[in-house]
Amino acid sequence: MIAKQVFYSGSVQGVGFRYSVKQIAKGFSIIGWVKNLADSRVEMQIAGEPEEVAEFLSAITQSELRAHIRETSENALTTLPDVRSFEIRHG
């Protein structure tokens, strides 16, 4: 399994971004979470098999959310997110 931290910037808050990401996640064998940040970006941490993670990230950028994303940055994580499923986090 691999784990990644992904930041999305653009018009990604107040448009149902987190909810849409959670809905997309239902189609993949991944775990993780997504939350809004105070600086108007969205942070996501995900883990799964490399192919599942890649396909999930691709599905996000190919969805209707692409119109809201101006920039994406990814970092590899050395530890897995502390969750059993995919969830929306607050604050």
Side-chain angles (χ1 to χ4, degrees), residues 3-7 33 43-46 73-77:
K4 288 189 176 191
Q5 176 184 46
V6 184
F7 293 99
W33 52 262
E43 177 185 5
M44 180 172 66
Q45 291 192 10
I46 54 170
S73 64
E74 294 181 20
N75 304 305
L77 295 174

Side-chain angles (χ1 to χ4, degrees), residues 44-86:
M44 180 172 66
Q45 291 192 10
I46 54 170
E49 294 303 320
E51 186 174 302
E52 282 290 299
V53 169
E55 288 180 10
F56 171 61
L57 293 174
S58 179
I60 291 171
T61 58
Q62 292 175 17
S63 74
E64 73 282 353
L65 296 174
R66 72 183 173 281
H68 302 287
I69 300 168
R70 186 180 72 244
E71 189 175 327
T72 303
S73 64
E74 294 181 20
N75 304 305
L77 295 174
T78 56
T79 58
L80 301 178
D82 187 23
V83 292
R84 288 196 159 89
S85 61
F86 191 88

